[in-house]
Amino acid sequence: MGGVEHEDPPLKRVKVSSEESDSFSSVASVRELARCSSSDSMARLLESQEDDEVVGVKGVVKKVELVRIIAEALYSLGYEKTGAHLEEESGIPLHSAVVNLFMQQIIDGEWTESVATLHKIGLIDENIVKLASFVILEQKFFELLVGEKVMDALKTLRTEIAPLCVCTSRLHELSSLIVSPSQIALDGTSDQQLRIKSRKKLLEELKTLLPSTVMIPENRLVLLVEQALDLQRDACRFHNSLVEEMSLLSDHQCGGDHIPSQTLQILQEHSNEVWFLQFSHNGDYLASSSSDCLVIIWEVKVDGRISLKHRLSGHQKPVSYISWSPDDRQLLTCGVEEAIRRWETASGECLLVYEKGGLGLVSCAWAPDGRRIFCGVTDKSICMWDLEGKEVECWKGQKTTRISDLGISSDGKHLITICKENMISLFGWESNSEKFIEEDQTIISFALSKDKKFLLVSLLNQELHLWNIDGRVELVAKYKGHKRSRLVVRSCFGGLDQAFIASGSEDSQVYIWHRISGELIFTLPGHSGAVNCVTWNPANPHMLASASDDRTIRIWGLNQVDMTENGKHSTGVCYCNGGNLKSSIL
Amino acid sequence: MGRVFVVDLEGRTYKCKFCKTPLALADELVSKGFHCRRGKAYLFNNAVNITVGTLEERSMLSGMHTVADIFCCCCGQIVGWKYEAAHERSQKYKEGKFVLERGRIVDGFDSEFYIDTHPTMSDAEDA
């Protein structure tokens, strides 16, 4: 179905009323000329066009089609004269004579005639003819009902609509309207204007039903332009800010100054390696954990400064994972092969300690309803607990590994975990169904996108693989460049619309790739130890945080010198002030 | 050091003598007849939880080979070497395989201990 929905299509070119103003008469006369010439001459005109003629460098744009959509655009913009002139000068009619007649008959409410003309258009698909007839007669039916000609409406329903044998459920709805006409959503009343409007709407609907070669969809040219703009935006490697206007005059391309690439703050509160880092869903807090067994909740202030809010102590082992509750009011922290603790964000108080006698817990995740938690156990099973600390369910067997992360789908029904060295299982715990992602390398860790439709898998051979897990499970992209040979080094999605992939690296740098193209766009030096984890603020595409073996956390932001120099960027090309950037752009 | 990524092995394994990190499965054992300066060494199809050092040409009793020393990823102790390439046809079967020194590993079952005073490189001689 081609057409674009518009509230008020200004289809002024079709004759609206029999009283024409003089300004339209020249248009009408031209159109009369076109129409009055016999169908033979029209056919001759069409044949004389080389239907295969193409325009443009690539040779894929057919001239006839281009002229037709330009004509349609002109009419849609309200330029009747120019539209008609184009049709005449090019010899390419927007619509054939039959179609023009058909459209006029619709506007004039000549229902029977329009259905007859419909059959003359020469549509191959019988079903389309029937559906189109149905909607035309449906309009007739409504107008009769509204005009209180109930018997005529009934007759139409019985003798004209029903025999079509399509849309039977709609047919029943219509017959029930005869009984209680007050239920009709009146989009056409006895008022002339409203009736015209409703008929125009019918015409729009017919445009979506009929093939686009027969009736050009509304605003087709504008739609194509919008598609091109979308593609430009997707291809823009540095696109990380909301650009107000996109110009048609030149291709859109951002410079690198909208990507966080400068260290704005160094947080030094941990006394040992910082292993994990995660912004809360609302971007107001940052939680970090370390091999010093401490977890810290930081607050992200309005001006972008980060300050310490709570030190959460209690774990006896290094803390390797943190999971924020869906409402960010609580968080889970996991000590390596130890216990899981649940804390309250506001007070920093430990609400509950989850333990399993004789075994250690290795990973944790919140259910999307915030009422249950899942965790991986050293005996490779997975457990589900409630908020009171009661174990609700346990899945035994080789469900997870001792070092695996645990993820959960947005409906809470699938657990995502590394079940074997080179396999990730998407485990439907309620349905007991399982889907697998198989890699040919050992899997180190993974990260989920915000919409939970994509999985970023880190592999032994220093590659990041992006998998689509929504519907058909398939490999979508690969990212390379960072260094990982011994440690668990984590990566994440981030930036505007999660258009970027970021990762830590054993060479002490942060790596950033453009997600769609796979291109490495930034490496950020600064840390003096392996960068174990990165997290991008979900609420601020210009804020990135990294955790390192050098015991610090770095907060990265926009290169502020550049911002003041260049000021606001308008459409089109944004220039990147390469000399001032502290990092290298690749 | 960060959080070291350690693979778990199921079944009977040979572990690093010093930190007990599993290094190879008994099932992957190819030959017990290798030697190094410090004593016996075992050839395995595959080894895990190791980091590979730099490649170098080494002359061994069985000929010239391209090898790299391997280290336990957790404690960093040298545990053996990896055959990257063999220059002689008859030795090609070793390519891609790992040698673990008997003195640096412990079997899941027995508990022999070797006290080792020699540092760094190990040379290999085949039995």
Side-chain angles (χ1 to χ4, degrees), chain A residues 227-236 246-247 250-252:
Chain A
Q227 279 181 15
L229 290 177
D230 276 344
L231 284 170
Q232 281 178 24
R233 191 172 33 241
D234 281 346
C236 178
M246 281 181 90
S247 171
S250 59
D251 280 4
H252 172 77

Side-chain angles (χ1 to χ4, degrees), chain A residues 238-266:
Chain A
F238 299 109
H239 193 85
N240 199 28
S241 300
L242 289 168
V243 180
E244 273 120 29
E245 320 141 18
M246 281 181 90
S247 171
L248 297 184
L249 305 179
S250 59
D251 280 4
H252 172 77
Q253 177 70 51
C254 287
D257 43 357
H258 284 256
I259 309 285
S261 55
Q262 189 182 19
T263 302
L264 299 181
Q265 237 185 309
I266 300 179

Side-chain angles (χ1 to χ4, degrees), chain A residues 134-154:
Chain A
F134 186 92
V135 296
I136 294 169
L137 292 167
E138 191 184 26
Q139 179 76 10
K140 174 181 178 183
F141 172 79
F142 275 126
E143 291 198 5
L144 285 171
L145 263 190
V146 161
E148 286 168 25
K149 301 195 180 110
V150 185
M151 290 316 293
D152 285 339
L154 188 59

Side-chain angles (χ1 to χ4, degrees), chain A residues 77 111 339 397 420 451 523:
Chain A
L77 286 167
W111 309 118
K420 269 190 217 162
D451 58 9
T523 54

